[in-house]
Amino acid sequence: MVMAMEKPVFFPLLFLLTLLMAFLLVKPSNQLDLPQTQSLLRIQQYLNFPPALNSLKNEDTDFCNIEPTSFFTVVCYENDITQLHIIGNNEFPPLSQDFSIHSFFTALAKLNTLKVLSLVSLGLWGPLPGAIGHLSSLEILNISSNYIHGAIPTQLLHLRDLQTIVLDHNNFSGPVPFWLNSLPMLTVLSLKHNLLSGSLPNSLGSLRNLRVLTLSENKLSGSIPNFRKLTNLQVLDLEDNQFGPNFPSLPRKLVILKLRKNRFRLGISANITSFYLLQKLDISMNEFVGPFMPSLLSMPSISYLDISGNKFTGVLSENMTCSSGLNFVNMSSNYLVGKLPSCLVLPPKDGVVLYSGNCLLSDHDKQEQRQQHPVEFCHKEALAVEVIPRREKPKIPNNKPVLAPTLAGGIVGAIAVVGVVSMLVKKKYGKYTLKKPTTTLITERVSTVNTAKLLSNAKHISETMKLGASLPAYRTFSLEELMEATNNFDDSAFMGDSPNGQLYRGKLCDGTLITIRSLEMKRRRSPQAYTRDLEMISKLRHCHLISALGHCLECQLDDSGVSRIFLVFEFSPNGTLRDCISGTQGLKLNWTQRIAAAIGVAKGVQFLHTGIVPGVYSNNLKITNVMLDHNLHVKISSYNLPLLAENRGMASNVVSSTTKGSGQDRVKHEDKNDVYDIGIILLEIILGRPIMFYKEVDSLKDLLRVSIATDDTGRRSIVDPAVHKQCSDESLMTMMEICMRCLSSEPADRPSVEDILWTLQFAAQVQNSGRGESMNSQESHGALS
């Protein structure tokens, strides 16, 4: 009986427990609070109750468990909405005429836990309200394909976690906001097909996390900011704007680059061929000029290349190579001549190759061949270039046509160069305007000497290649590029005259500072005659030389002879070595830095003698031609090139090794002439006073000889007072002795450059191991060696 009475009590309790567990299991796991629920229902109302949102029935709806569709998705985390996707389709009725975008976004702002918001093709119209800034947790914003107009609101600044902004296909106007760099997490910025105008802010160049930048189909203009610091950028789409004229400075990890339909009109950057991840390159429908770079076809990852609708020139050949993944090429409507490369004659399966509107020969595609122009057409339609404005020196004959051909020297090999002439019509504000150009043709077959092969014969090839690796590839510059860099060779860019031509300071479109040496040729020769000289110049690349970056030739139409050569070099901003030793103001080098500077000079001379074939000797070295860069590395800026010697006038009476010894000795001991000049530089380093004329050298050498024979106090008495307490006795003695040997009257008695370098390095070693200045000396030496 007892058991029978207990049993009815046990089973009802078990049943109740089971019901409770079932209730807990079926209870919604993400119960929204009332403000979020009401916000979703208001959004449904503002969108005019589209059928796609019929699942939003009332406040009792389990919003977090609504079945997602391609038009409407809600994602919750715990008790909050974190994602809202509403994508318009035919089931979305037009918005009512009393639609208020402000009310719509005010309702959205209640969902302040949103991380992802997509409102696409909903017909939203009006300016984007500042209430968007209340969605403080937002990471992804996509409100594309609407009718939103006005400026992009500054309230987006409040969304510090924003990673993706997609505002495509709207009517946003005004400039691209300068404050976008205040969104540190931004990785995707897509603003295509709007009405944005003006130039891009430089601040875009500091968005280090940016991976995708799409600004196509706007009204943007001007130069592109320097994007080289955007090392994570993979997609850059600037199509259909008014950007130009300079090719932008870009990072090397781009995968897609679209510059189609802009106003770029100069040459493309040679370093683009080093973009090893680049798969798609579209620079069509611009006014790019200069020789087509065949290496574009063989970039390791390239699959899509479109250069159509430009003014590229050059000769294609059957033996050019293509990347194995290349399946789309469009070279139409340029001024290319020659034969279609065999790798493009039979493209991969489903591949496309277009080349109409050139002057190419091909036996493969008769339809494309019928659409080719005669070769003369490409000759006549090549690019017109401006002429350099006149100074009293150098002179260009008035009203004579000037030709600026492109010469690749031995760097590229045999190429055809089309030059175009322009007539000078009037001078306006110091610059010249042009009338309709007439044309002529110069075809060059330059030397096919391989620079790398020549360098392999040098004694110091490993050091040469290593020390020149950080420099951009040597290339041909267009005259238009140099005029752009110098503001049309404005007076503010003029640095002065020298026996080796006029000097100008310039700035390339990628921000690189350059020095341009303008040489007026006293004898007219053909461009081919300068091939060997230009090949030698292209090899002069060393960390202790002002290295050559490229050249530009200017030719006269009447005889096709070169009338002027522009040589483009590095620019060193910190003045000369004399400025830092005996100058009256500015930075002064300490003793250890002076030794390091002397070592740098010796290394530069050593490279000139042995680092290239043939060596460059009798360089007429002067301390005023030894420059310092921003890291205080010394760089020799003037050396003995045949190209410069042709243009050089009478020697001055400034100190030079050419004033010592007989002519026969100078020829026999070419390397020892530079050693004498190193001695004069060492003399000025030790004494700290400028040595201007030859007659000073003998008396100062006698003073140095006497002081070497005295005690330490006597030696220090002649040393520059700024450093005489810094130098150790052994270091000072070593420097004085090698200086005396360099200044020997007999060339055969002078040390070799290798001996000088070893001795200077020993002087640095004993100085660094001396007392009192050890740590400071090591740091200073590291900055200069």
Side-chain angles (χ1 to χ4, degrees):
M1 280 296 293
V2 174
M3 293 296 293
M5 291 177 63
E6 290 178 350
K7 192 171 183 179
V9 176
F10 175 76
F11 279 104
L13 288 174
L14 182 60
F15 178 73
L16 290 173
L17 181 61
T18 302
L19 287 176
L20 178 62
M21 292 177 65
F23 176 77
L24 291 174
L25 288 173
V26 300
K27 182 181 178 181
S29 59
N30 294 303
Q31 187 64 44
L32 299 179
D33 58 21
L34 187 59
Q36 293 185 84
T37 299
Q38 292 176 338
S39 179
L40 285 176
L41 294 175
R42 287 196 185 97
I43 290 171
Q44 181 189 35
Q45 177 186 352
Y46 293 137
L47 293 178
N48 209 8
F49 298 100
L53 302 187
N54 282 344
S55 54
L56 300 178
K57 297 177 180 179
N58 52 50
E59 293 179 359
D60 295 328
T61 302
D62 184 5
F63 295 100
C64 292
N65 287 303
I66 294 174
E67 187 70 22
T69 69
S70 57
F71 313 116
F72 179 61
T73 301
V74 175
V75 178
C76 300
Y77 179 74
E78 295 183 345
N79 295 324
D80 295 311
I81 297 178
T82 57
Q83 295 189 37
L84 175 62
H85 304 267
I86 307 176
I87 312 299
N89 69 344
N90 294 332
E91 297 184 18
F92 279 71
L95 301 179
S96 62
Q97 291 187 354
D98 60 351
F99 170 78
S100 170
I101 195 170
H102 293 280
S103 300
F104 181 83
F105 274 90
T106 299
L108 267 174
K110 302 295 183 181
L111 306 178
N112 56 11
T113 57
L114 273 178
K115 291 185 177 295
V116 180
L117 174 62
S118 298
L119 303 170
V120 179
S121 300
L122 300 179
L124 303 177
W125 52 271
L128 185 60
I132 189 74
H134 296 304
L135 300 174
S136 56
S137 299
L138 204 61
E139 296 178 1
I140 298 176
L141 173 64
N142 181 0
I143 52 175
S144 57
S145 300
N146 288 287
Y147 302 100
I148 302 174
H149 60 78
I152 299 173
T154 57
Q155 284 81 359
L156 287 179
L157 274 172
H158 302 314
L159 311 183
R160 304 295 294 177
D161 295 329
L162 206 55
Q163 299 176 21
T164 297
I165 299 176
V166 181
L167 308 180
D168 300 342
H169 293 275
N170 279 284
N171 295 318
F172 284 104
S173 58
V176 174
F178 67 89
W179 42 259
L180 286 170
N181 66 331
S182 298
L183 300 175
M185 306 298 292
L186 196 61
T187 57
V188 176
L189 177 62
S190 188
L191 307 175
K192 70 179 179 182
H193 200 98
N194 279 282
L195 301 174
L196 298 171
S197 60
S199 58
L200 296 184
N202 291 329
S203 55
L204 282 182
S206 59
L207 287 167
R208 299 295 183 94
N209 292 313
L210 199 63
R211 293 181 180 273
V212 176
L213 178 58
T214 301
L215 302 173
S216 58
E217 300 176 69
N218 280 282
K219 298 180 179 180
L220 299 166
S221 60
S223 297
I224 308 299
N226 191 333
F227 284 162
R228 282 191 174 177
K229 293 182 180 179
L230 304 184
T231 53
N232 293 306
L233 192 64
Q234 296 178 352
V235 177
L236 178 61
D237 183 359
L238 304 179
E239 178 180 349
D240 197 2
N241 280 283
Q242 300 171 26
F243 291 120
N246 300 312
F247 191 85
S249 300
L250 302 172
R252 295 182 62 237
K253 294 183 180 179
L254 280 174
V255 176
I256 296 175
L257 174 60
K258 296 176 67 177
L259 302 179
R260 172 183 169 87
K261 202 175 180 182
N262 277 279
R263 295 183 177 179
F264 296 104
R265 57 185 176 85
L266 301 179
I268 63 175
S269 175
N271 72 345
I272 195 171
T273 58
S274 66
F275 290 17
Y276 59 95
L277 297 177
L278 192 62
Q279 297 177 15
K280 182 173 183 178
L281 174 62
D282 188 347
I283 57 175
S284 60
M285 298 182 69
N286 283 281
E287 296 182 16
F288 283 115
V289 301
F292 169 69
M293 292 188 290
S295 52
L296 292 176
L297 297 169
S298 57
M299 289 191 293
S301 302
I302 195 71
S303 62
Y304 183 107
L305 175 64
D306 191 345
I307 65 165
S308 61
N310 285 288
K311 299 180 180 180
F312 288 115
T313 60
V315 179
L316 302 186
S317 63
E318 292 178 304
N319 60 359
M320 290 179 175
T321 58
C322 301
S323 171
S324 59
L326 189 61
N327 54 35
F328 181 94
V329 178
N330 189 355
M331 299 187 293
S332 305
S333 301
N334 282 282
Y335 303 139
L336 302 173
V337 298
K339 281 198 171 185
L340 192 69
S342 57
C343 58
L344 298 180
V345 171
L346 297 174
K349 185 179 180 181
D350 301 324
V352 175
V353 176
L354 303 172
Y355 56 94
S356 63
N358 285 283
C359 303
L360 295 169
L361 299 175
S362 174
D363 300 328
H364 176 70
D365 192 328
K366 293 184 178 179
Q367 181 178 356
E368 285 284 333
Q369 184 59 50
R370 284 195 297 268
Q371 296 176 3
Q372 298 297 311
H373 298 289
V375 174
E376 292 76 13
F377 173 85
C378 292
H379 295 166
K380 293 179 180 179
E381 296 297 327
L383 172 69
V385 298
E386 292 180 326
V387 296
I388 183 173
R390 288 170 181 70
R391 293 182 178 275
E392 182 178 349
K393 182 182 179 180
K395 297 179 179 178
I396 300 177
N398 289 329
N399 299 322
K400 285 190 178 181
V402 180
L403 174 67
T406 305
L407 176 65
I411 310 304
V412 177
I415 61 173
V417 180
V418 179
V420 184
V421 287
S422 302
M423 295 298 294
L424 180 66
V425 292
K426 69 174 182 177
K427 186 173 182 180
K428 183 178 182 182
Y429 306 120
K431 301 179 181 179
Y432 292 97
T433 56
L434 303 175
K435 70 177 182 180
K436 180 74 175 181
T438 57
T439 59
T440 190
L441 168 71
I442 290 183
T443 302
E444 288 185 30
R445 300 198 62 82
V446 297
S447 168
T448 57
V449 174
N450 187 300
T451 302
K453 185 176 180 180
L454 275 179
L455 282 172
S456 66
N457 296 324
K459 296 180 181 178
H460 302 283
I461 176 61
S462 60
E463 181 185 14
T464 298
M465 299 305 293
K466 179 178 68 175
L467 295 177
S470 62
L471 293 168
Y474 185 93
R475 67 182 179 93
T476 299
F477 287 84
S478 69
L479 182 57
E480 191 171 12
E481 277 184 280
L482 301 186
M483 296 180 74
E484 190 83 21
T486 58
N487 192 21
N488 214 1
F489 290 90
D490 189 74
D491 287 340
S492 60
F494 185 62
M495 298 172 64
D497 285 305
S498 76
N500 293 326
Q502 288 185 312
L503 294 176
Y504 296 87
R505 180 188 296 107
K507 186 176 183 180
L508 298 178
C509 59
D510 62 1
T512 302
L513 295 176
I514 57 172
T515 300
I516 302 171
R517 190 183 297 276
S518 172
L519 303 170
E520 183 180 8
M521 297 294 101
K522 296 180 179 179
R523 287 195 305 121
R524 296 287 170 79
R525 296 192 292 169
S526 68
Q528 295 93 326
Y530 294 101
T531 299
R532 184 175 181 181
D533 292 339
L534 293 174
E535 281 186 345
M536 175 174 285
I537 291 173
S538 72
K539 294 183 292 182
L540 293 170
R541 305 169 78 79
H542 188 274
C543 64
H544 290 298
L545 298 182
I546 296 291
S547 299
L549 304 179
H551 70 267
C552 171
L553 301 187
E554 191 174 74
C555 298
Q556 290 294 101
L557 179 60
D558 51 5
D559 60 1
S560 301
V562 175
S563 60
R564 187 184 309 277
I565 297 180
F566 299 95
L567 299 179
V568 182
F569 294 92
E570 296 176 278
F571 177 79
S572 288
N574 280 328
T576 69
L577 181 57
R578 171 172 285 171
D579 295 335
C580 297
I581 289 178
S582 57
T584 57
Q585 56 185 1
L587 174 71
K588 291 295 182 291
L589 301 185
N590 62 35
W591 180 248
T592 305
Q593 289 174 322
R594 296 186 188 200
I595 299 176
I599 291 173
V601 171
K603 287 183 175 179
V605 174
Q606 182 188 45
F607 173 80
L608 289 171
H609 289 185
T610 62
I612 58 175
V613 178
V616 180
Y617 301 95
S618 299
N619 290 285
N620 196 24
L621 301 171
K622 303 185 186 73
I623 195 169
T624 52
N625 290 334
V626 178
M627 316 301 290
L628 279 79
D629 67 10
H630 60 281
N631 291 321
L632 298 184
H633 289 116
V634 295
K635 291 175 173 284
I636 301 171
S637 67
S638 181
Y639 16 86
N640 183 27
L641 299 176
L643 188 60
L644 300 180
E646 177 182 328
N647 206 51
R648 193 174 293 140
M650 294 296 293
S652 68
N653 62 345
V654 177
V655 169
S656 164
S657 62
T658 59
T659 59
K660 292 298 294 180
S662 66
Q664 187 176 7
D665 282 343
R666 288 199 299 270
V667 174
K668 184 179 179 180
H669 301 284
E670 286 184 312
D671 58 329
K672 299 303 177 72
N673 298 333
D674 290 332
V675 169
Y676 187 88
D677 290 342
I678 291 175
I680 297 176
I681 293 174
L682 291 175
L683 193 59
E684 190 159 330
I685 284 175
I686 295 169
L687 303 180
R689 51 169 291 185
I691 303 172
M692 304 300 294
F693 302 103
Y694 163 70
K695 62 182 180 180
E696 297 179 80
V697 176
D698 283 340
S699 59
L700 293 175
K701 186 170 67 172
D702 290 340
L703 178 64
L704 194 64
R705 181 184 296 107
V706 172
S707 66
I708 289 176
T710 63
D711 57 13
D712 181 45
T713 303
R715 281 191 291 274
R716 292 179 187 273
S717 65
I718 69 167
V719 176
D720 183 359
V723 297
H724 79 280
K725 292 183 179 179
Q726 301 173 2
C727 45
S728 70
D729 187 28
E730 189 172 7
S731 172
L732 177 58
M733 176 69 83
T734 303
M735 288 284 285
M736 287 182 168
E737 288 176 344
I738 192 64
C739 177
M740 283 295 300
R741 291 177 60 200
C742 290
L743 295 174
S744 296
S745 299
E746 293 299 324
D749 295 336
R750 299 169 193 164
S752 66
V753 176
E754 287 72 19
D755 287 342
I756 298 171
L757 186 55
W758 187 93
T759 304
L760 293 174
Q761 289 170 336
F762 175 76
Q765 181 180 358
V766 296
Q767 174 65 23
N768 288 341
S769 63
R771 298 178 180 178
E773 202 193 357
S774 176
M775 185 169 295
N776 179 55
S777 298
Q778 291 173 9
E779 292 175 352
S780 302
H781 181 67
L784 279 155
S785 60

